[in-house]
Amino acid sequence: MRKRYLAVATAALLAGTTAVAAREYKVGLLLPYSGVYAALGKEIQAGFELGLEHYAAELGEDTIRLLPEDTEVKPAVGLTKAKKLVLQDKVDVLAGLVSSGVLAAVRDFVDGAKVPLVVANAGNIHATGKQCSRYIIRVSFSNAQITRPMGRYMAERGLKTVVAMAPDYAAGRQDVEAMRGAFEAAGGKVLKEIYTPFRKTKDFGPYLTEAQATGAEALFVFYAGGEAISFMKQYASFGLKDKLPLYAAGFLTSQLYRNAIGEAALGSINSLHYVTTLDNPENARFQQAFQQKYGRVASEFAVQGYDAARLIVAALAASKGDKEKFVDAARTTTFASPRGPWRIDPATNNIVQNIYVYQIVQGPDGRLVEKVLKVYENEQDPPNGCQLAG
Amino acid sequence: MLRLFDPLRTLLALLLLLAGLWWARTGDYFGREILAEMAVFAIAAMGLDLLAGFPRLVSMGHGLFVGIGAYGYAVATALWGWSWPAAILLALALSALAGLLVGLATVRARDVFYIMATLAFGQMGYVWVVRSAELGGDDGLAGVPRPELAALGLDLGDSATFATLLVLLAAAVYLLLGRLLASGFGRTLVAIGQNERRVRALGIAPGPYRVAATTVSGTVAGFAGVLAAMHSMYVSPELFHWTWSGEVLTMAILGGVGSLVGPALGAAAVVWLKYAVSGWTEYWGLFLGLFLILAVWTGGQGLYGYLERLRAWLLRTLTRQEEADARGDRTGQTLRRSHRHRPGVAAGGEG
Amino acid sequence: MTAAYWLTQLLNALQYSMLLFVLSVGLTVVFGLMNFVNLAHGTFYALGAFIGWSLLRATGSFWLALVGAPLLVAAIAAVLYGAMIARMQRAGHLAQVLATLGLVFMGVEVMRIIWGDFALDFAAPPLLQGHVQLFGLVYPAYRLFVIALGLLAMVALWLLLERTALGAMVRAAVDHADMAAALGVRVDRLFFGMFCFGCALAALAGVVAAPIFSVYPGMGIEILIPTLIVVVVGGLGSLKGAVAGSLLVGFVDTFGQVLLPQLAGIVVYALLALTLLLRPQGLFPARA
């Protein structure tokens, strides 16, 4: 799987046309294939490859070669690999990045080397805020973007008090702060913020007991991956579903591991930038092709990879390999995606997209699916100190 | 005691140095990055050897010193805007202080208890940094500059120059530590490693020697941390984590502890293997584990141990040849005795 | 903060302590009996959870997994003992640390290859799903089961070590292996049996922990450090030490998180450092 050079032959080549001036673009894919985020890295790559299959034909006779490198979720390794891709392999574009730590590590290098980087996951608000760069374009989400609407939604539902829980690291704190800002602006009150040791806490019992003791009306959390699975099951086993309803950033019940959580996920209310059951033609085509190719329902991570590939194809087609033109094109390209319409905010290079608030319910076939309760359209982050010329 | 100018050791060290310099000149970009990483790990592993190889104190918490050095330099330059020489001095002072404190705190600990104590201190540092918002928490700190040496006509932003500098610094650390270990201090450390009770019976208190060794070892590890921060231009808490400490220990052991040059060789070998293996499989740990087990299985004296055995075998063969050539000649005997017995890993830690 | 709150936290601490006890007792006996440092103990814990998961999937029975996984892991441990552990007993701690660290690295990868990167769901038995009402507080039934199982293991091991001939042999061997051997105890067989038994207990802990924490390749590495802390704080080789150590670590960790959230995660290491400073041999070492 690793190191497989994926040559995407275009329709023209397949037809046997002699491609005289066809050029091969190199796309460096920086993703974790080992370590705690390995599953995410593989899911994003799956989406990315499908995106190339669907859209690479837009390049005409030109082709794309994919150079995947394992960041191992280690910032120093990620930086070394980024340098290798840029300085040695001379890639035209970089894409990927799951962990915000790795993104922070490569930021200065990418900015200095003036190589476009399309971020397909890492959600640190500063990456499109005070540390933004003209060359770093994010098609995934920002942490605040996901949870700010949730703060508003909880207030709209008439909640007055909530208690928040999140892992004690940058993303956890940014998620909670954005929720709190929106919730308290609408008149609510966050009674307590509980931060659990990151990547270490597997026993949430003491924290859940504490959250319950605050007497809040609801519990807001941000957990993802393995922590999300443990958290959901323990939340359910403490019988908190009736007493302390759960609101969360949607990574808690991501399609990627929703089946592992099982029925414990039922009833929780989540906010996310993608919902597998969205009713639009792009999503129908995407999910159908993904399920056929990989045999599972595509998650938001796959969509991020898919859209990243599509944006790269479009910008390459418009720029013909010129990096400055690539950035200009990427910043202005818009298209209808499986997750609905989106565009890149020229002020920050962050994506502007719909955020869906949904509840996990049992579908007719018994599968756990999302029921959309409300859509917050074109959710846009404030510049947060980013000074990109519009 | 370490014989500083043991021919085999000196030859190997020179070979490593020359190979490093040659590689820095001729290698491609990625190769030079790997070379710089090798040099950083080599320095950390040599620092660890001072403890693991001589007084036989197996530290599983060297990440603490590396992390303190790296963060000391990063915070002073990136956050406080200090000049690089001041930042390096601060980083070295902090890691020396940490070495002193850990040395004092663990002065009574032996065997497994020593391993656990160092592990605990390392993990405390890790948890503290991960939780610290000022230090960037889990995301680490970016924007760490490399020293400005334009006045000397050097551009450390250039990977060949930087890799060359790191290789030379690793050689300097080798010489400094070699000098130290060849002294009476080094002899006492070895004696402590062999039998602490006997050292005490001879009227020497081992405590101060252990503390001093930990301080020096911590400072060297801190220096490796400073260079790691310059190399990545970025620091992250993983430097503190016990698995990182375990990796450095692995390098030292695979190379052969107690020889100083062995750990450097081990660092180069492991870093190279990591990139070579991860080129075609994501399951790098499988090979690392396998190498570790094989290294222990085959006598536990590491790569350097093999070279010594090879030398001994060559000498035996040669002398037998000589003896056959000129019967009665005594040179063979002298040569044979020059191969001194070096206790390997197998004898370590018992006490 | 009500009484129910403190009682719930007490149960949380007790539950964690019991898990640590089942894990650490095997490790401490191997430590004390064989003077063998086994960093791969956590790997057997993870392996138990994974094998238990496969058994649960194949048979649908939690109880079969609970019994079957430790047996299978004991068999694996027996093979490993023959292949490498036996010949490493006299090799010194450094060699043992390294070889078992090698096993840790390899174990994680082997589990990734067989069971994948992602956390796997492990359902508690239907009987123990949900929660119980207890003196006005609500507590997960499964966690009560963990506490009960831990207490049961404690009593059973105490009886085994203090009241049976086998236990007497083990204690004698811990105190003085050569003397015990001279008195006709087959010390090598005893070592072999205790090693496999300790690994089986680790696997049992893995299956028991799985419904709470789910199953993932890194779980063994994560639990290893707290387990080692229990063993060192309690003192090598003694049942009493394992009991005291696991209770101390479980309670200090749980209440540290609640009372000193700023220091969460650090207090346990501080406990270890303090113990090593004040009582370098741990609280109840088997050999004074």
Side-chain angles (χ1 to χ4, degrees):
Chain A
M1 170 106 173
R2 301 254 0 262
K3 282 283 173 182
R4 191 182 65 203
Y5 293 115
L6 184 86
V8 178
T10 63
L13 279 171
L14 284 175
T17 320
T18 40
V20 187
R23 65 171 284 188
E24 185 190 62
Y25 297 111
K26 288 187 202 163
V27 176
L29 206 51
L30 285 165
L31 288 170
Y33 297 103
S34 54
V36 284
Y37 294 140
L40 269 61
K42 288 171 183 170
E43 177 84 350
I44 291 172
Q45 178 162 358
F48 199 96
E49 291 183 356
L50 187 65
L52 288 183
E53 267 178 35
H54 281 183
Y55 296 104
E58 288 176 14
L59 286 172
E61 296 185 348
D62 299 340
T63 54
I64 285 181
R65 191 163 71 141
L66 213 49
L67 280 70
E69 287 288 349
D70 186 2
T71 63
E72 300 173 29
V73 207
K74 290 180 181 163
V77 174
L79 180 62
T80 306
K81 299 288 176 73
K83 286 179 171 175
K84 176 202 173 248
L85 287 170
V86 170
L87 297 169
Q88 188 165 316
D89 299 330
K90 311 250 186 291
V91 296
D92 297 285
V93 198
L94 289 169
L97 292 183
V98 164
S99 136
S100 285
V102 179
L103 176 57
V106 302
R107 189 258 167 218
D108 287 355
F109 169 72
V110 168
D111 186 59
K114 299 191 192 310
V115 177
L117 164 61
V118 177
V119 177
N121 191 62
N124 193 318
I125 54 171
H126 300 312
T128 53
K130 64 185 183 196
Q131 287 157 1
C132 68
S133 157
R134 172 178 150 76
Y135 301 94
I136 300 179
I137 297 152
R138 180 154 59 193
V139 297
S140 46
F141 58 87
S142 86
N143 293 330
Q145 190 175 38
I146 302 283
T147 56
R148 204 182 318 113
M150 186 49 112
R152 273 183 255 149
Y153 179 80
M154 289 191 298
E156 285 163 20
R157 265 186 91 113
L159 289 173
K160 293 278 173 271
T161 55
V162 303
V163 53
M165 267 176 79
D168 191 1
Y169 77 119
R173 290 186 176 265
Q174 289 173 6
D175 275 63
V176 170
E177 272 159 29
M179 179 281 297
R180 189 188 58 201
F183 183 59
E184 297 197 337
K189 177 105 185 78
V190 176
L191 294 183
K192 190 164 195 173
E193 293 172 17
I194 299 170
Y195 293 104
T196 57
F198 180 45
R199 279 195 210 146
K200 214 181 135 266
T201 319
K202 288 296 182 251
D203 187 359
F204 296 97
Y207 300 104
L208 284 169
T209 309
E210 209 182 332
Q212 202 186 348
T214 60
E217 293 171 69
L219 173 62
F220 169 86
V221 303
F222 163 72
Y223 285 107
E227 281 185 315
I229 301 176
S230 316
F231 174 83
M232 281 305 281
K233 306 203 77 173
Q234 294 179 34
Y235 166 83
S237 76
F238 269 88
L240 292 176
K241 271 190 182 177
D242 317 322
K243 294 184 211 151
L244 202 59
L246 188 61
Y247 295 79
F251 304 108
L252 185 69
T253 54
S254 171
Q255 177 62 44
L256 194 53
Y257 39 81
R258 192 178 298 153
N259 295 334
I261 297 173
E263 283 186 10
L266 276 177
S268 66
I269 294 178
N270 302 259
S271 63
L272 203 62
H273 55 297
Y274 175 68
V275 168
T276 60
T277 50
L278 281 182
D279 186 16
N280 65 52
E282 286 77 21
N283 193 38
R285 177 185 182 211
F286 166 69
Q287 281 290 356
Q288 203 258 329
F290 191 94
Q291 287 169 32
Q292 195 164 26
K293 187 167 181 193
Y294 302 105
R296 60 175 191 268
V297 179
S299 70
E300 66 275 12
F301 301 108
V303 176
Q304 291 161 198
Y306 185 76
D307 281 355
R310 192 172 171 191
L311 181 76
I312 287 172
V313 168
L316 281 175
S319 64
K320 295 286 171 211
D322 181 285
K323 294 194 173 65
E324 294 300 322
K325 282 192 194 146
F326 179 99
V327 172
D328 291 334
R331 276 152 55 88
T332 50
T333 304
T334 61
F335 46 77
S337 139
R339 55 179 133 164
W342 60 256
R343 66 187 169 84
I344 298 295
D345 181 354
T348 62
N349 273 0
N350 193 36
I351 189 170
V352 179
Q353 59 188 336
N354 294 347
I355 299 297
Y356 304 92
V357 174
Y358 61 87
Q359 187 162 29
I360 298 289
V361 296
Q362 201 123 42
D365 53 352
R367 211 163 62 83
L368 297 171
V369 291
E370 309 94 331
K371 187 178 120 201
V372 175
L373 303 174
K374 181 150 190 181
V375 182
Y376 290 84
E377 287 183 358
N378 301 320
E379 189 63 31
Q380 184 171 12
D381 270 4
N384 283 327
C386 177
Q387 308 210 329
L388 290 180
Chain B
M1 192 181 96
L2 185 91
R3 277 204 338 183
L4 183 54
F5 293 111
D6 175 280
L8 179 64
R9 176 176 298 120
T10 311
L11 185 70
L12 183 58
L14 267 175
L15 270 177
L16 281 176
L17 175 65
L18 289 176
L21 293 175
W22 175 76
W23 196 358
R25 279 184 64 84
T26 59
D28 56 10
Y29 173 79
F30 196 53
R32 294 194 294 254
E33 285 292 308
I34 294 173
L35 180 64
E37 193 176 325
M38 285 174 178
V40 169
F41 274 111
I43 293 174
M46 284 190 284
L48 183 61
D49 195 19
L50 186 64
L51 285 182
F54 300 90
R56 304 222 164 266
L57 296 168
V58 183
S59 164
M60 277 288 278
H62 250 49
L64 178 71
F65 309 123
V66 178
I68 286 176
Y71 270 83
Y73 179 77
V75 168
T77 52
L79 294 186
W80 300 341
W82 287 21
S83 68
W84 63 265
I88 292 178
L89 282 180
L90 175 79
L92 292 183
L94 286 177
S95 45
L97 182 68
L100 179 71
L101 292 178
V102 170
L104 285 173
T106 57
V107 75
R108 287 168 66 195
R110 253 171 276 287
D111 293 351
V112 192
F113 294 98
Y114 184 83
I115 299 176
M116 289 310 300
T118 47
L119 189 71
F121 287 116
Q123 283 302 102
M124 276 165 90
Y126 173 75
V127 174
W128 185 69
V129 171
V130 165
R131 294 178 57 91
S132 161
E134 298 83 45
L135 298 179
D138 186 61
D139 283 349
L141 280 179
V144 183
R146 287 182 185 175
E148 183 56 61
L149 291 177
L152 301 173
L154 292 177
D155 172 20
L156 291 191
D158 172 54
S159 63
T161 314
F162 188 71
T164 307
L165 177 73
L166 256 56
V167 169
L168 290 175
L169 284 173
V173 168
Y174 171 77
L175 283 178
L176 273 174
L177 285 179
R179 205 53 233 112
L180 182 71
L181 284 165
S183 67
F185 177 71
R187 199 175 322 156
T188 313
L189 288 187
V190 173
I192 291 173
Q194 281 162 356
N195 192 337
E196 195 166 331
R197 219 167 284 159
R198 200 172 58 205
V199 172
R200 219 179 287 258
L202 289 172
I204 302 170
Y209 285 90
R210 285 181 56 161
V211 174
T214 314
T215 309
V216 176
S217 177
T219 315
V220 173
F223 186 55
V226 171
L227 297 178
M230 288 177 187
H231 174 52
S232 306
M233 304 175 77
Y234 176 86
V235 290
S236 68
E238 57 163 330
L239 292 172
F240 283 90
H241 201 259
W242 75 270
T243 46
W244 202 94
S245 305
E247 244 174 84
V248 178
L249 189 62
T250 305
M251 292 170 182
I253 305 294
L254 276 179
V257 288
S259 68
L260 211 50
V261 72
L265 179 66
V270 172
V271 172
W272 178 77
L273 276 171
K274 179 157 70 179
Y275 284 103
V277 169
S278 71
W280 52 268
T281 172
E282 64 195 61
Y283 302 109
W284 149 242
L286 203 58
F287 294 86
L288 184 65
L290 202 63
F291 295 141
L292 257 177
I293 292 171
L294 284 178
V296 174
W297 240 352
T298 50
Q301 298 185 1
L303 294 172
Y304 187 75
Y306 284 112
L307 290 178
E308 281 199 327
R309 272 189 232 171
L310 184 68
R311 169 174 68 177
W313 177 80
L314 276 176
L315 286 175
R316 265 201 309 276
T317 326
L318 285 176
T319 47
R320 217 170 285 145
Q321 192 65 48
E322 274 176 39
E323 278 170 13
D325 288 351
R327 286 173 201 287
D329 192 336
R330 306 281 298 172
T331 36
Q333 288 295 320
T334 347
L335 272 171
R336 190 180 298 169
R337 224 180 301 135
S338 82
H339 172 66
R340 125 202 91 82
H341 172 70
R342 200 172 55 83
V345 173
E350 304 279 23
Chain C
M1 299 292 158
T2 60
Y5 167 81
W6 291 111
L7 196 58
T8 312
Q9 294 294 26
L10 193 93
L11 288 173
N12 285 332
L14 202 59
Q15 179 261 134
Y16 184 42
S17 301
M18 289 307 126
L19 186 66
L20 284 177
F21 171 74
V22 177
L23 251 171
S24 57
V25 71
L27 187 58
T28 199
V29 168
V30 169
F31 248 138
L33 193 63
M34 302 158 65
N35 198 22
F36 185 81
V37 187
N38 182 14
L39 288 189
H41 201 68
T43 305
F44 292 108
Y45 162 85
L47 203 57
F50 274 112
I51 291 178
W53 181 85
S54 290
L55 284 174
L56 177 64
R57 232 168 88 111
T59 66
S61 163
F62 172 84
W63 305 105
L64 213 65
L66 191 70
V67 177
L71 290 177
L72 284 172
V73 168
I76 294 171
V79 172
L80 267 176
Y81 186 92
M84 63 178 282
I85 306 289
R87 67 176 84 177
M88 290 196 45
Q89 268 191 59
R90 304 241 165 254
H93 287 152
L94 181 53
Q96 293 164 356
V97 163
L98 289 166
T100 52
L101 191 64
L103 280 183
V104 170
F105 289 144
M106 289 181 75
V108 169
E109 303 291 34
V110 167
M111 287 183 260
R112 281 180 66 205
I113 291 169
I114 300 178
W115 285 283
D117 289 306
F118 220 80
L120 302 173
D121 174 42
F122 198 117
L127 186 66
L128 297 172
Q129 277 170 3
H131 36 79
V132 280
Q133 304 268 353
L134 192 83
F135 314 116
L137 61 89
V138 177
Y139 203 71
Y142 188 78
R143 287 178 186 241
L144 289 176
F145 163 72
V146 175
I147 295 175
L149 193 76
L151 291 173
L152 191 73
M154 244 177 222
V155 174
L157 282 167
W158 182 79
L159 287 176
L160 179 76
L161 283 174
E162 302 290 329
R163 290 282 180 276
T164 66
L166 179 70
M169 280 194 273
V170 171
R171 278 181 292 130
V174 168
D175 282 341
H176 226 293
D178 299 339
M179 196 77 87
L183 292 172
V185 176
R186 290 288 299 270
V187 178
D188 51 344
R189 263 198 215 172
L190 210 56
F191 287 165
F192 173 69
M194 287 315 286
F195 182 79
C196 296
F197 183 59
C199 293
L201 278 177
L204 178 75
V207 181
V208 167
I212 301 180
F213 304 147
S214 72
V215 185
Y216 51 97
M219 66 189 292
I221 292 189
E222 276 172 30
I223 204 75
L224 173 66
I225 306 286
T227 311
L228 286 172
I229 293 177
V230 166
V231 170
V232 171
V233 166
L236 299 189
S238 80
L239 184 66
K240 205 156 86 174
V243 174
S246 48
L247 284 172
L248 250 175
V249 171
F251 274 77
V252 164
D253 196 35
T254 303
F255 284 94
Q257 286 167 355
V258 173
L259 299 174
L260 301 164
Q262 320 79 303
L263 296 179
I266 295 187
V267 278
V268 179
Y269 296 112
L271 171 76
L272 173 64
L274 200 69
T275 312
L276 286 172
L277 280 178
L278 299 178
R279 287 185 72 101
Q281 299 290 307
L283 295 177
F284 302 105
R287 274 170 297 206

